[in-house]
Amino acid sequence: MGEVDLKLPGGASPAPGFFRSLMSLKRKEKGVVFGSPLTEEGIAQIYQLIEYLHKNLRVEGLFRVPGNSVRQQILRDALNNGTDIDLESGEFHSNDVATLLKMFLGELPEPLLTHKHFHAHLKIADLMQFDDKGNKTNVPDKERQIEALQLLFLILPPPNRNLLKLLLDLLYQTAKKQDKNKMSAYNLALMFAPHVLWPKNATANDLQENITKLNNGMAFMIKHSQKLFKAPVYIRECARLHYLGSRSQASKDDLDLIASCHTKSFQLAKSQKRNWVDSCSHQEETQQRTEEALRELLQHVHNMPESAKKKQLIRQFNKQSVTQTPGRESSTPQVQKRARSRSFSGLIKRKVLGNQMMSEKKNKYPTPESIAMGELKRASKENMNLLFPGSPAVTLMPTRLKWSEGKKEGKKA
């Protein structure tokens, strides 16, 4: 996530000693350093030079004044052989070490920022600010340039990225001491742009049109080196949300990203809610129509002339509570139940009509008894007369039939 800074030499912490021991382990794998592809073992060898230069940044003309060629050759052979070098012995000069570092970068098979990213770095210099009307100005947009460099550094090969971090920090610290060494960020850019940015085997004449862009770009990287090795803010926030499950959002870009991520789910929830409301309103409308029809039917029954048929219909309404619907209270006052008739015909009506709703509920969880009752219900009136001819006390269960017949005989006696 780019939040942990690499511990660099020159600080008061014990990190330099630990880093030095780590590099000594890597240096045990001996191999040619100069002119070879960049590796972690090669960086471990070159780190000895960088560590020494951090302690000698006040030397005037550092990286500009050449060193002694004989001493440089001795250092070169020692690095290629993987030999530990005692640079603090006073045998070598700071200019020897600085010149050898530039020589190492110049002999790499490709520039430190790679050939693949060369044209991208040329475009960074063209990132300018826009005015209120949306017109491009001549003022560089530093924030966009820094973000572009951060993204390019993220996709560098790890050895290139590690060495670039060490080199830019060294040049940054050198530029901070320019009152002593007379080397500003732009002067250092002139020394290192050919090794960091320029394509190999390219001359100043080949890059005549872009040489100013390249030098200015190198100076920009030196000045802002402390910001370039972190991922952009919105990428760090997105990574935090993804890996840590944090809900903290520290940038506008992240807020926009989160909003876009949840747009589809929000629209889906909204449509589901709208469908649910429409369904509820449709059910309420159907419920109202049903109740109105039932009220009209009940009113029509009350307006009928007094007769046994009218009493039977009213009794049927009261028995089955047809003025009520599931999950809803009745809109008309419930009529008080009348005393049940003790006649056999009333008993049959109560059993057939009164238990009809209960039988329908039992059908949801079928049992042997409920299945038998369902078969009897589906039988027609004529079939019932055929099965039990001449018996007015027919019920749904054989046991009830026997009880009813016995009661009738007792009454006649």
Side-chain angles (χ1 to χ4, degrees):
M1 294 169 61
E3 292 185 344
V4 180
D5 292 331
L6 181 63
K7 298 298 182 181
L8 295 166
S13 65
F18 171 77
F19 199 71
R20 188 183 304 109
S21 62
L22 178 64
M23 289 302 178
S24 65
L25 293 177
K26 291 184 177 180
R27 286 198 301 270
K28 290 181 179 180
E29 298 185 13
K30 300 179 181 180
V32 178
V33 175
F34 287 79
S36 300
L38 193 60
T39 61
E40 293 292 346
E41 292 74 23
I43 296 175
Q45 290 289 84
I46 296 301
Y47 177 72
Q48 299 177 84
L49 308 180
I50 296 175
E51 185 182 23
Y52 174 78
L53 291 174
H54 266 285
K55 302 174 183 178
N56 298 273
L57 296 177
R58 297 177 180 270
V59 177
E60 184 174 351
L62 190 65
F63 296 110
R64 185 182 71 244
V65 179
N68 182 273
S69 58
V70 176
R71 295 194 295 263
Q72 291 175 14
Q73 187 62 41
I74 296 174
L75 284 174
R76 181 188 177 103
D77 294 339
L79 292 174
N80 281 333
N81 295 329
T83 306
D84 290 337
I85 306 171
D86 185 10
L87 295 175
E88 301 292 342
S89 63
E91 182 181 355
F92 305 100
H93 193 270
S94 300
N95 292 332
D96 302 333
V97 178
T99 305
L100 192 64
L101 178 60
K102 290 194 299 179
M103 189 182 302
F104 167 77
L105 295 173
E107 295 183 9
L108 289 174
E110 66 174 350
L112 200 55
L113 291 178
T114 71
H115 289 130
K116 185 167 56 177
H117 299 167
F118 173 71
H119 293 286
H121 284 281
L122 287 179
K123 295 294 183 181
I124 291 177
D126 297 329
L127 295 176
M128 301 295 177
Q129 293 182 355
F130 292 86
D131 57 17
D132 297 336
K133 298 181 181 180
N135 298 323
K136 193 174 183 179
T137 64
N138 294 325
V139 181
D141 192 339
K142 292 184 178 180
E143 292 183 1
R144 293 177 63 199
Q145 291 176 345
I146 290 175
E147 182 178 324
L149 289 171
Q150 287 174 336
L151 294 174
L152 285 173
F153 288 0
L154 283 176
I155 58 178
L156 278 175
N160 294 58
R161 177 182 166 87
N162 294 337
L163 181 57
L164 181 67
K165 177 71 171 70
L166 295 171
L167 176 65
L168 288 182
D169 187 79
L170 173 64
L171 299 181
Y172 174 78
Q173 298 296 335
T174 304
K176 287 178 65 175
K177 303 289 193 302
Q178 61 177 320
D179 57 330
K180 301 294 182 181
N181 55 39
K182 311 301 179 183
M183 295 297 293
S184 64
Y186 187 78
N187 292 336
L188 292 170
L190 296 178
M191 300 290 104
F192 284 91
H195 309 312
V196 175
L197 280 170
W198 290 15
K200 289 299 177 180
N201 302 323
T203 62
N205 293 331
D206 299 332
L207 302 174
Q208 186 174 1
E209 297 180 359
N210 299 315
I211 193 170
T212 303
K213 286 184 180 180
L214 295 174
N215 293 334
N216 291 336
M218 187 65 200
F220 184 86
M221 286 188 286
I222 295 174
K223 293 177 182 178
H224 299 90
S225 62
Q226 307 306 304
K227 303 178 182 178
L228 301 181
F229 291 89
K230 293 183 178 181
V233 175
Y234 64 90
I235 291 184
R236 298 204 305 268
E237 290 301 315
C238 198
R240 182 179 291 107
L241 290 171
H242 181 73
Y243 290 104
L244 304 182
S246 172
R247 295 183 180 181
S248 60
Q249 299 169 356
S251 66
K252 180 179 179 299
D253 299 305
D254 183 63
L255 291 174
D256 297 339
L257 181 62
I258 296 301
S260 64
C261 289
H262 291 289
T263 299
K264 293 185 179 180
S265 59
F266 174 76
Q267 292 177 351
L268 179 60
K270 187 176 180 180
S271 63
Q272 290 177 350
K273 182 178 180 181
R274 183 170 58 252
N275 294 337
W276 179 79
V277 172
D278 295 341
S279 176
C280 291
S281 61
H282 178 70
Q283 291 180 359
E284 291 180 357
E285 183 179 356
T286 305
Q287 189 75 22
Q288 292 176 0
R289 291 179 181 177
T290 303
E291 291 180 354
E292 291 177 1
L294 290 175
R295 284 197 297 269
E296 292 177 1
L297 180 59
L298 184 60
Q299 185 65 31
H300 177 71
V301 171
H302 280 291
N303 293 336
M304 290 173 60
E306 293 295 334
S307 63
K309 184 67 174 176
K310 177 180 178 180
K311 293 179 181 180
Q312 180 182 359
L313 292 173
I314 292 176
R315 190 180 302 112
Q316 184 176 352
F317 268 100
N318 294 336
K319 295 288 184 182
Q320 300 185 10
S321 300
V322 295
T323 56
Q324 290 186 348
T325 55
R328 191 174 181 90
E329 296 293 335
S330 173
S331 58
T332 57
Q334 187 174 2
V335 181
Q336 186 178 2
K337 294 183 179 180
R338 298 186 180 183
R340 292 186 177 182
S341 172
R342 294 182 178 274
S343 64
F344 292 112
S345 63
L347 179 62
I348 294 174
K349 291 178 181 179
R350 282 196 299 272
K351 295 300 296 182
V352 175
L353 299 178
N355 292 341
Q356 183 177 0
M357 297 295 293
M358 187 175 295
S359 299
E360 292 176 357
K361 292 181 180 178
K362 289 182 178 180
N363 287 337
K364 295 181 180 179
Y365 306 94
T367 61
E369 183 180 354
S370 63
I371 294 173
M373 292 177 68
E375 293 296 332
L376 289 175
K377 287 180 182 180
R378 285 192 293 270
S380 63
K381 184 176 181 180
E382 291 78 11
N383 291 336
M384 294 292 289
N385 292 334
L386 290 174
L387 290 171
F388 305 100
S391 176
V394 175
T395 58
L396 296 178
M397 297 300 296
T399 55
R400 177 64 66 183
L401 178 62
K402 293 179 181 180
W403 176 83
S404 301
E405 291 176 350
K407 187 174 181 180
K408 181 178 180 181
E409 292 174 358
K411 188 174 183 180
K412 286 183 180 180

